[in-house]
Amino acid sequence: MKFKDTLKDIKTYSAGKPIELVVRDYGVAPENIIKLASNENPHGCSPKVREKISQIVGNMYRYPDDSFFELKEKLSTKFGVKDTNIIIGAGSDQTFEFISRALLEEGDKVLVNRISFAMYDIYAKQEGAVMIKTDTIEHDLDQFKTLYQEHKPKLVYICTPSNPAGDALDKVDVYDFLKTVDPETMVVVDGAYMEYASFKEAKKLIEPKDLIDTFPNCIYTGTFSKAYGLGGMRTGYAIASEEFINSLLKMRPPFNITTLSLAAAVEACNDEEFVTFAIDDCFKEMKRYEDFAKENNFDYIDSYTNFITLMLNDSMNSSEISEALLKKGVIVRDLGSYSMNAIRVTIGTTAENDRFFKIFKEVLGN
Amino acid sequence: MKFKDTLKDIKTYSAGKPIELVVRDYGVAPENIIKLASNENPHGCSPKVREKISQIVGNMYRYPDDSFFELKEKLSTKFGVKDTNIIIGAGSDQTFEFISRALLEEGDKVLVNRISFAMYDIYAKQEGAVMIKTDTIEHDLDQFKTLYQEHKPKLVYICTPSNPAGDALDKVDVYDFLKTVDPETMVVVDGAYMEYASFKEAKKLIEPKDLIDTFPNCIYTGTFSKAYGLGGMRTGYAIASEEFINSLLKMRPPFNITTLSLAAAVEACNDEEFVTFAIDDCFKEMKRYEDFAKENNFDYIDSYTNFITLMLNDSMNSSEISEALLKKGVIVRDLGSYSMNAIRVTIGTTAENDRFFKIFKEVLGN
């Protein structure tokens, strides 16, 4: 069977280990496991969402409204855009797939930061595109400018705040870069963690409407997976010009989010208070990680997200440390696969973080 | 912006109208609406599944186990294959997308029945492939043989039982056709409604293990959307050789079904009794549709699924009839878009079917 040649270069995404697997493979009791690996909101989602879903469990047999009318109405009000400016994806992740598939042909170039969301690469490579990368951990827009002029890529991803590093760009700097970009180049601004960044510092906020009005070649993407605490429900969105959205809609499969996901996302939009509470708590707990890092003499990246990237010393190896933590029931993300001697830790609840500090110290032999 | 040329020919899928839309657009009260348009199981899903999901609503913030370990274990036991022979999709629908994207290049040919699941075409066209079609409503394997020899397509879809016609092929005839197919041609046997067909007549049953052992160029696809009553949860699967599955896995996005979908599908496998009850009831009610058609002098296709295709007389127009039914709160599928003067009606509960007969008579002016 002759599959496409482009498949040869594709590595599949390696997801954070689920709790079930640690139970299975490491024999740790479920109650002793804490998962700080996938940037889930440790407070879960809004209680209103849980209540709503409990009420409509009987609807699982019904396909969702494939126009996603109610959800688009909510997002349209929230962001001041038209419903025709919105496409819904199974996570913002799926909107990257739509973009890649609608736009990229073999040999096309895609510009990304060296440390960035792994799916940009995977979706691009599925279309046979070539990745152009900066050489920095945090986003460096001067490098973006230089590489853009040198390679004239068809697509650029700016992930702000950035995953898995945690840094965030100022809006003014992003706009300065965008001014240098040709209107025929598409630029995706991935704001999966934007709610966190803008809470911490207003100057980080990039608003979808302002972005696409100012730069019609841009697409803004957002998600219900992080601040809204619905990672398991796979719902995100992209906001762009009607022309872009119409092209992306051609790649969208019908019913691409579930009936319960649709209801959950709609209900989540009704409880912004929960989101603010969760973000506020996240940054309070983040402070404890920063203090912990300082006390134990290792570096970290100043984070605008719900996770912190701890840069380990040369005496430690991120893969060994991650494995040792895993054996004690603490799941974190080893960034070794990004050629970084670092681990990414999701900010958990107070109790989870207490446990992380305790077990991490044990692993460090302190 | 230069999107791919292949986008020009793609029409997006037109889903069955959801109840919400009929409320919105036609002003019919929700309690007066019956939806018999999308082949959902009118009995919903197993009560055990509903109970399970109610218990784990708090897990919505957690990403699912991306290896889908438990679900693959269930399917592997059910079908006697290895977990490495299975890929999970967001509906079997998504597995067609994986197949198209992993296999098809511009100009490649795909052989399908004239009346078949619309997504085969859409996914193929997204890759720039060319559709070769029979000219019959029901599957005619002699035509498949002739067209196969003439065009040597790279991919063949056999939908048995067939959607949206409802006919089903005998296993022996499918195997006779498969013997004439080159091992380098991939053949997908779409068994979305297989549970219904094999209940009605054992000779219709095609089993995944036997199929892929006998014809390693085949892929079997199945779903939890129909007999298992989980259409809104978007969970299906493909079963094939490990080599095929490994290639398809390269097109699979991480977390492509939700946390609740995964749990629902696992639990659904624990209640086959519910499935048998629902199918048995479906065929009892189907008999009433057949009698109704005879009494009112119009034809129907003998159905091996949970829907029936009613062939209207020349004096009726399927689009007008569908619209008239819609205004009275009855949603069915107009097959006008397939150049058929027919409507497809999902077999509902006894009460729903009573209401359909009553309102359909009103619309016919009887």
mmCIF file of all heavy atoms in Angstrom, chain B residues 70-108:
data_model
loop_
_atom_site.group_PDB
_atom_site.id
_atom_site.type_symbol
_atom_site.label_atom_id
_atom_site.label_comp_id
_atom_site.label_asym_id
_atom_site.label_seq_id
_atom_site.Cartn_x
_atom_site.Cartn_y
_atom_site.Cartn_z
ATOM 1 N N GLU B 70 -8.392 1.594 27.544
ATOM 2 C CA GLU B 70 -9.557 0.803 27.972
ATOM 3 C C GLU B 70 -10.503 0.505 26.809
ATOM 4 O O GLU B 70 -11.028 -0.597 26.686
ATOM 5 C CB GLU B 70 -10.354 1.596 29.016
ATOM 6 C CG GLU B 70 -9.995 1.288 30.437
ATOM 7 C CD GLU B 70 -11.065 1.870 31.367
ATOM 8 O OE1 GLU B 70 -11.101 3.117 31.523
ATOM 9 O OE2 GLU B 70 -11.867 1.093 31.903
ATOM 10 N N LEU B 71 -10.718 1.510 25.976
ATOM 11 C CA LEU B 71 -11.649 1.324 24.854
ATOM 12 C C LEU B 71 -11.084 0.333 23.834
ATOM 13 O O LEU B 71 -11.790 -0.546 23.336
ATOM 14 C CB LEU B 71 -11.954 2.675 24.191
ATOM 15 C CG LEU B 71 -12.909 2.624 23.004
ATOM 16 C CD1 LEU B 71 -14.234 1.957 23.370
ATOM 17 C CD2 LEU B 71 -13.162 4.028 22.458
ATOM 18 N N LYS B 72 -9.786 0.453 23.572
ATOM 19 C CA LYS B 72 -9.178 -0.489 22.628
ATOM 20 C C LYS B 72 -9.229 -1.914 23.182
ATOM 21 O O LYS B 72 -9.409 -2.876 22.432
ATOM 22 C CB LYS B 72 -7.733 -0.086 22.331
ATOM 23 C CG LYS B 72 -7.655 1.116 21.403
ATOM 24 C CD LYS B 72 -6.237 1.384 20.967
ATOM 25 C CE LYS B 72 -6.155 2.617 20.085
ATOM 26 N NZ LYS B 72 -4.766 3.004 19.808
ATOM 27 N N GLU B 73 -9.091 -2.019 24.508
ATOM 28 C CA GLU B 73 -9.168 -3.339 25.132
ATOM 29 C C GLU B 73 -10.571 -3.945 24.933
ATOM 30 O O GLU B 73 -10.710 -5.122 24.599
ATOM 31 C CB GLU B 73 -8.855 -3.191 26.629
ATOM 32 C CG GLU B 73 -8.198 -4.414 27.212
ATOM 33 C CD GLU B 73 -7.803 -4.189 28.663
ATOM 34 O OE1 GLU B 73 -8.541 -3.498 29.397
ATOM 35 O OE2 GLU B 73 -6.748 -4.713 29.067
ATOM 36 N N LYS B 74 -11.590 -3.123 25.126
ATOM 37 C CA LYS B 74 -12.974 -3.589 24.933
ATOM 38 C C LYS B 74 -13.192 -4.038 23.486
ATOM 39 O O LYS B 74 -13.749 -5.096 23.225
ATOM 40 C CB LYS B 74 -13.967 -2.456 25.229
ATOM 41 C CG LYS B 74 -14.087 -2.077 26.686
ATOM 42 C CD LYS B 74 -14.928 -3.077 27.443
ATOM 43 C CE LYS B 74 -15.029 -2.673 28.906
ATOM 44 N NZ LYS B 74 -15.504 -3.791 29.742
ATOM 45 N N LEU B 75 -12.752 -3.204 22.542
ATOM 46 C CA LEU B 75 -12.985 -3.503 21.124
ATOM 47 C C LEU B 75 -12.167 -4.711 20.698
ATOM 48 O O LEU B 75 -12.609 -5.527 19.882
ATOM 49 C CB LEU B 75 -12.628 -2.289 20.260
ATOM 50 C CG LEU B 75 -13.570 -1.087 20.401
ATOM 51 C CD1 LEU B 75 -12.994 0.132 19.687
ATOM 52 C CD2 LEU B 75 -14.960 -1.418 19.849
ATOM 53 N N SER B 76 -10.986 -4.802 21.257
ATOM 54 C CA SER B 76 -10.104 -5.905 20.940
ATOM 55 C C SER B 76 -10.717 -7.230 21.399
ATOM 56 O O SER B 76 -10.698 -8.229 20.678
ATOM 57 C CB SER B 76 -8.748 -5.561 21.566
ATOM 58 O OG SER B 76 -8.123 -6.658 22.069
ATOM 59 N N THR B 77 -11.331 -7.243 22.570
ATOM 60 C CA THR B 77 -12.027 -8.441 23.056
ATOM 61 C C THR B 77 -13.266 -8.727 22.205
ATOM 62 O O THR B 77 -13.496 -9.859 21.790
ATOM 63 C CB THR B 77 -12.471 -8.224 24.528
ATOM 64 O OG1 THR B 77 -11.330 -7.843 25.281
ATOM 65 C CG2 THR B 77 -13.095 -9.477 25.114
ATOM 66 N N LYS B 78 -14.021 -7.696 21.933
ATOM 67 C CA LYS B 78 -15.277 -7.845 21.182
ATOM 68 C C LYS B 78 -15.033 -8.429 19.789
ATOM 69 O O LYS B 78 -15.771 -9.277 19.318
ATOM 70 C CB LYS B 78 -15.913 -6.459 21.064
ATOM 71 C CG LYS B 78 -17.237 -6.353 20.329
ATOM 72 C CD LYS B 78 -17.699 -4.873 20.384
ATOM 73 C CE LYS B 78 -18.767 -4.561 19.366
ATOM 74 N NZ LYS B 78 -20.114 -4.989 19.786
ATOM 75 N N PHE B 79 -13.957 -7.963 19.139
ATOM 76 C CA PHE B 79 -13.747 -8.358 17.747
ATOM 77 C C PHE B 79 -12.617 -9.373 17.548
ATOM 78 O O PHE B 79 -12.346 -9.773 16.412
ATOM 79 C CB PHE B 79 -13.471 -7.114 16.887
ATOM 80 C CG PHE B 79 -14.656 -6.197 16.749
ATOM 81 C CD1 PHE B 79 -14.601 -4.887 17.207
ATOM 82 C CD2 PHE B 79 -15.840 -6.647 16.166
ATOM 83 C CE1 PHE B 79 -15.695 -4.036 17.078
ATOM 84 C CE2 PHE B 79 -16.940 -5.810 16.039
ATOM 85 C CZ PHE B 79 -16.867 -4.502 16.500
ATOM 86 N N GLY B 80 -11.951 -9.751 18.633
ATOM 87 C CA GLY B 80 -10.877 -10.747 18.517
ATOM 88 C C GLY B 80 -9.672 -10.263 17.735
ATOM 89 O O GLY B 80 -8.988 -11.045 17.059
ATOM 90 N N VAL B 81 -9.402 -8.952 17.805
ATOM 91 C CA VAL B 81 -8.213 -8.403 17.138
ATOM 92 C C VAL B 81 -7.276 -7.834 18.201
ATOM 93 O O VAL B 81 -7.630 -7.749 19.380
ATOM 94 C CB VAL B 81 -8.599 -7.296 16.116
ATOM 95 C CG1 VAL B 81 -9.480 -7.860 15.005
ATOM 96 C CG2 VAL B 81 -9.293 -6.121 16.811
ATOM 97 N N LYS B 82 -6.072 -7.441 17.784
ATOM 98 C CA LYS B 82 -5.145 -6.822 18.736
ATOM 99 C C LYS B 82 -5.422 -5.324 18.867
ATOM 100 O O LYS B 82 -5.978 -4.725 17.936
ATOM 101 C CB LYS B 82 -3.704 -7.015 18.245
ATOM 102 C CG LYS B 82 -3.195 -8.430 18.450
ATOM 103 C CD LYS B 82 -1.708 -8.504 18.192
ATOM 104 C CE LYS B 82 -1.436 -9.301 16.935
ATOM 105 N NZ LYS B 82 -0.073 -9.338 16.491
ATOM 106 N N ASP B 83 -5.010 -4.733 19.976
ATOM 107 C CA ASP B 83 -5.234 -3.288 20.123
ATOM 108 C C ASP B 83 -4.459 -2.506 19.054
ATOM 109 O O ASP B 83 -4.852 -1.400 18.684
ATOM 110 C CB ASP B 83 -4.896 -2.800 21.536
ATOM 111 C CG ASP B 83 -3.455 -3.047 21.908
ATOM 112 O OD1 ASP B 83 -2.752 -3.786 21.180
ATOM 113 O OD2 ASP B 83 -2.999 -2.498 22.934
ATOM 114 N N THR B 84 -3.404 -3.097 18.543
ATOM 115 C CA THR B 84 -2.618 -2.438 17.489
ATOM 116 C C THR B 84 -3.313 -2.506 16.116
ATOM 117 O O THR B 84 -2.824 -1.943 15.146
ATOM 118 C CB THR B 84 -1.225 -3.091 17.383
ATOM 119 O OG1 THR B 84 -1.403 -4.515 17.364
ATOM 120 C CG2 THR B 84 -0.363 -2.705 18.562
ATOM 121 N N ASN B 85 -4.443 -3.214 16.075
ATOM 122 C CA ASN B 85 -5.244 -3.231 14.839
ATOM 123 C C ASN B 85 -6.348 -2.175 14.854
ATOM 124 O O ASN B 85 -7.189 -2.138 13.955
ATOM 125 C CB ASN B 85 -5.914 -4.604 14.640
ATOM 126 C CG ASN B 85 -4.931 -5.721 14.403
ATOM 127 O OD1 ASN B 85 -4.916 -6.704 15.136
ATOM 128 N ND2 ASN B 85 -4.099 -5.564 13.395
ATOM 129 N N ILE B 86 -6.360 -1.344 15.895
ATOM 130 C CA ILE B 86 -7.496 -0.432 16.093
ATOM 131 C C ILE B 86 -7.044 1.024 16.135
ATOM 132 O O ILE B 86 -6.046 1.353 16.782
ATOM 133 C CB ILE B 86 -8.212 -0.758 17.434
ATOM 134 C CG1 ILE B 86 -8.677 -2.214 17.457
ATOM 135 C CG2 ILE B 86 -9.399 0.187 17.668
ATOM 136 C CD1 ILE B 86 -9.142 -2.701 18.815
ATOM 137 N N ILE B 87 -7.793 1.890 15.471
ATOM 138 C CA ILE B 87 -7.623 3.327 15.654
ATOM 139 C C ILE B 87 -8.985 3.916 16.006
ATOM 140 O O ILE B 87 -10.006 3.493 15.453
ATOM 141 C CB ILE B 87 -7.010 4.018 14.411
ATOM 142 C CG1 ILE B 87 -6.753 5.511 14.686
ATOM 143 C CG2 ILE B 87 -7.882 3.870 13.165
ATOM 144 C CD1 ILE B 87 -5.874 6.194 13.637
ATOM 145 N N ILE B 88 -8.975 4.848 16.950
ATOM 146 C CA ILE B 88 -10.223 5.477 17.403
ATOM 147 C C ILE B 88 -10.398 6.807 16.674
ATOM 148 O O ILE B 88 -9.449 7.574 16.535
ATOM 149 C CB ILE B 88 -10.179 5.727 18.932
ATOM 150 C CG1 ILE B 88 -9.920 4.416 19.706
ATOM 151 C CG2 ILE B 88 -11.466 6.401 19.424
ATOM 152 C CD1 ILE B 88 -10.957 3.335 19.519
ATOM 153 N N GLY B 89 -11.608 7.062 16.218
ATOM 154 C CA GLY B 89 -11.905 8.334 15.550
ATOM 155 C C GLY B 89 -13.078 9.046 16.201
ATOM 156 O O GLY B 89 -13.852 8.436 16.940
ATOM 157 N N ALA B 90 -13.190 10.332 15.923
ATOM 158 C CA ALA B 90 -14.348 11.111 16.375
ATOM 159 C C ALA B 90 -15.509 10.765 15.446
ATOM 160 O O ALA B 90 -15.808 11.472 14.487
ATOM 161 C CB ALA B 90 -14.033 12.606 16.336
ATOM 162 N N GLY B 91 -16.122 9.636 15.722
ATOM 163 C CA GLY B 91 -17.030 9.000 14.771
ATOM 164 C C GLY B 91 -16.198 8.207 13.777
ATOM 165 O O GLY B 91 -15.016 8.519 13.565
ATOM 166 N N SER B 92 -16.792 7.177 13.143
ATOM 167 C CA SER B 92 -16.017 6.476 12.117
ATOM 168 C C SER B 92 -15.702 7.466 11.004
ATOM 169 O O SER B 92 -14.682 7.363 10.313
ATOM 170 C CB SER B 92 -16.749 5.246 11.588
ATOM 171 O OG SER B 92 -18.070 5.541 11.229
ATOM 172 N N ASP B 93 -16.562 8.449 10.855
ATOM 173 C CA ASP B 93 -16.343 9.610 10.006
ATOM 174 C C ASP B 93 -14.879 10.107 10.007
ATOM 175 O O ASP B 93 -14.275 10.288 8.949
ATOM 176 C CB ASP B 93 -17.232 10.700 10.618
ATOM 177 C CG ASP B 93 -17.469 11.873 9.721
ATOM 178 O OD1 ASP B 93 -16.517 12.601 9.419
ATOM 179 O OD2 ASP B 93 -18.620 12.055 9.340
ATOM 180 N N GLN B 94 -14.332 10.303 11.182
ATOM 181 C CA GLN B 94 -12.958 10.830 11.238
ATOM 182 C C GLN B 94 -11.946 9.814 10.710
ATOM 183 O O GLN B 94 -10.902 10.198 10.186
ATOM 184 C CB GLN B 94 -12.587 11.249 12.664
ATOM 185 C CG GLN B 94 -11.337 12.138 12.696
ATOM 186 C CD GLN B 94 -10.885 12.487 14.098
ATOM 187 O OE1 GLN B 94 -11.020 11.694 15.033
ATOM 188 N NE2 GLN B 94 -10.328 13.678 14.264
ATOM 189 N N THR B 95 -12.271 8.521 10.823
ATOM 190 C CA THR B 95 -11.326 7.540 10.279
ATOM 191 C C THR B 95 -11.303 7.627 8.746
ATOM 192 O O THR B 95 -10.277 7.365 8.136
ATOM 193 C CB THR B 95 -11.625 6.091 10.746
ATOM 194 O OG1 THR B 95 -12.847 5.632 10.164
ATOM 195 C CG2 THR B 95 -11.719 5.996 12.263
ATOM 196 N N PHE B 96 -12.436 8.027 8.119
ATOM 197 C CA PHE B 96 -12.413 8.231 6.658
ATOM 198 C C PHE B 96 -11.485 9.402 6.322
ATOM 199 O O PHE B 96 -10.800 9.392 5.302
ATOM 200 C CB PHE B 96 -13.811 8.514 6.096
ATOM 201 C CG PHE B 96 -14.841 7.494 6.486
ATOM 202 C CD1 PHE B 96 -16.123 7.866 6.857
ATOM 203 C CD2 PHE B 96 -14.532 6.138 6.491
ATOM 204 C CE1 PHE B 96 -17.071 6.922 7.231
ATOM 205 C CE2 PHE B 96 -15.469 5.183 6.868
ATOM 206 C CZ PHE B 96 -16.743 5.581 7.242
ATOM 207 N N GLU B 97 -11.500 10.399 7.198
ATOM 208 C CA GLU B 97 -10.609 11.541 6.988
ATOM 209 C C GLU B 97 -9.155 11.081 7.083
ATOM 210 O O GLU B 97 -8.332 11.430 6.234
ATOM 211 C CB GLU B 97 -10.906 12.634 8.019
ATOM 212 C CG GLU B 97 -10.135 13.918 7.745
ATOM 213 C CD GLU B 97 -10.157 14.890 8.920
ATOM 214 O OE1 GLU B 97 -11.220 15.404 9.260
ATOM 215 O OE2 GLU B 97 -9.073 15.128 9.492
ATOM 216 N N PHE B 98 -8.839 10.283 8.100
ATOM 217 C CA PHE B 98 -7.459 9.793 8.240
ATOM 218 C C PHE B 98 -7.038 9.026 6.984
ATOM 219 O O PHE B 98 -5.935 9.195 6.464
ATOM 220 C CB PHE B 98 -7.312 8.859 9.450
ATOM 221 C CG PHE B 98 -7.618 9.482 10.783
ATOM 222 C CD1 PHE B 98 -8.004 8.674 11.861
ATOM 223 C CD2 PHE B 98 -7.503 10.845 10.993
ATOM 224 C CE1 PHE B 98 -8.282 9.226 13.107
ATOM 225 C CE2 PHE B 98 -7.779 11.412 12.231
ATOM 226 C CZ PHE B 98 -8.169 10.590 13.289
ATOM 227 N N ILE B 99 -7.941 8.155 6.515
ATOM 228 C CA ILE B 99 -7.636 7.319 5.350
ATOM 229 C C ILE B 99 -7.380 8.194 4.125
ATOM 230 O O ILE B 99 -6.367 8.044 3.438
ATOM 231 C CB ILE B 99 -8.795 6.319 5.095
ATOM 232 C CG1 ILE B 99 -8.863 5.286 6.232
ATOM 233 C CG2 ILE B 99 -8.647 5.635 3.735
ATOM 234 C CD1 ILE B 99 -10.155 4.484 6.295
ATOM 235 N N SER B 100 -8.278 9.134 3.868
ATOM 236 C CA SER B 100 -8.130 10.023 2.709
ATOM 237 C C SER B 100 -6.815 10.773 2.770
ATOM 238 O O SER B 100 -6.087 10.873 1.783
ATOM 239 C CB SER B 100 -9.258 11.068 2.696
ATOM 240 O OG SER B 100 -10.393 10.544 2.101
ATOM 241 N N ARG B 101 -6.534 11.313 3.946
ATOM 242 C CA ARG B 101 -5.363 12.178 4.075
ATOM 243 C C ARG B 101 -4.062 11.394 4.032
ATOM 244 O O ARG B 101 -3.038 11.912 3.579
ATOM 245 C CB ARG B 101 -5.446 13.001 5.356
ATOM 246 C CG ARG B 101 -6.624 13.973 5.317
ATOM 247 C CD ARG B 101 -6.679 14.785 6.578
ATOM 248 N NE ARG B 101 -5.432 15.506 6.751
ATOM 249 C CZ ARG B 101 -4.941 15.858 7.925
ATOM 250 N NH1 ARG B 101 -5.578 15.548 9.020
ATOM 251 N NH2 ARG B 101 -3.810 16.523 7.992
ATOM 252 N N ALA B 102 -4.081 10.152 4.505
ATOM 253 C CA ALA B 102 -2.849 9.359 4.518
ATOM 254 C C ALA B 102 -2.551 8.775 3.140
ATOM 255 O O ALA B 102 -1.407 8.491 2.805
ATOM 256 C CB ALA B 102 -2.960 8.229 5.548
ATOM 257 N N LEU B 103 -3.607 8.630 2.329
ATOM 258 C CA LEU B 103 -3.477 7.848 1.111
ATOM 259 C C LEU B 103 -3.576 8.660 -0.178
ATOM 260 O O LEU B 103 -2.820 8.422 -1.126
ATOM 261 C CB LEU B 103 -4.595 6.791 1.115
ATOM 262 C CG LEU B 103 -4.463 5.637 0.138
ATOM 263 C CD1 LEU B 103 -3.293 4.752 0.537
ATOM 264 C CD2 LEU B 103 -5.759 4.829 0.098
ATOM 265 N N LEU B 104 -4.525 9.585 -0.225
ATOM 266 C CA LEU B 104 -4.907 10.175 -1.517
ATOM 267 C C LEU B 104 -4.075 11.387 -1.917
ATOM 268 O O LEU B 104 -3.846 12.292 -1.122
ATOM 269 C CB LEU B 104 -6.385 10.575 -1.495
ATOM 270 C CG LEU B 104 -7.382 9.434 -1.282
ATOM 271 C CD1 LEU B 104 -8.804 9.981 -1.197
ATOM 272 C CD2 LEU B 104 -7.280 8.395 -2.395
ATOM 273 N N GLU B 105 -3.653 11.400 -3.165
ATOM 274 C CA GLU B 105 -2.973 12.565 -3.728
ATOM 275 C C GLU B 105 -3.811 13.082 -4.889
ATOM 276 O O GLU B 105 -4.730 12.401 -5.361
ATOM 277 C CB GLU B 105 -1.570 12.162 -4.188
ATOM 278 C CG GLU B 105 -0.838 11.416 -3.071
ATOM 279 C CD GLU B 105 0.666 11.473 -3.164
ATOM 280 O OE1 GLU B 105 1.217 12.587 -3.201
ATOM 281 O OE2 GLU B 105 1.293 10.401 -3.187
ATOM 282 N N GLU B 106 -3.493 14.277 -5.317
ATOM 283 C CA GLU B 106 -4.277 14.919 -6.371
ATOM 284 C C GLU B 106 -4.408 13.996 -7.589
ATOM 285 O O GLU B 106 -3.424 13.422 -8.056
ATOM 286 C CB GLU B 106 -3.624 16.248 -6.769
ATOM 287 C CG GLU B 106 -4.653 17.263 -7.210
ATOM 288 C CD GLU B 106 -4.125 18.692 -7.223
ATOM 289 O OE1 GLU B 106 -3.252 19.016 -6.389
ATOM 290 O OE2 GLU B 106 -4.581 19.467 -8.086
ATOM 291 N N GLY B 107 -5.610 13.842 -8.075
ATOM 292 C CA GLY B 107 -5.854 13.037 -9.263
ATOM 293 C C GLY B 107 -6.109 11.561 -8.983
ATOM 294 O O GLY B 107 -6.528 10.832 -9.887
ATOM 295 N N ASP B 108 -5.849 11.107 -7.747
ATOM 296 C CA ASP B 108 -6.142 9.708 -7.418
ATOM 297 C C ASP B 108 -7.646 9.460 -7.530
ATOM 298 O O ASP B 108 -8.453 10.356 -7.337
ATOM 299 C CB ASP B 108 -5.684 9.389 -5.982
ATOM 300 C CG ASP B 108 -4.185 9.146 -5.895
ATOM 301 O OD1 ASP B 108 -3.564 8.880 -6.943
ATOM 302 O OD2 ASP B 108 -3.635 9.230 -4.785
#
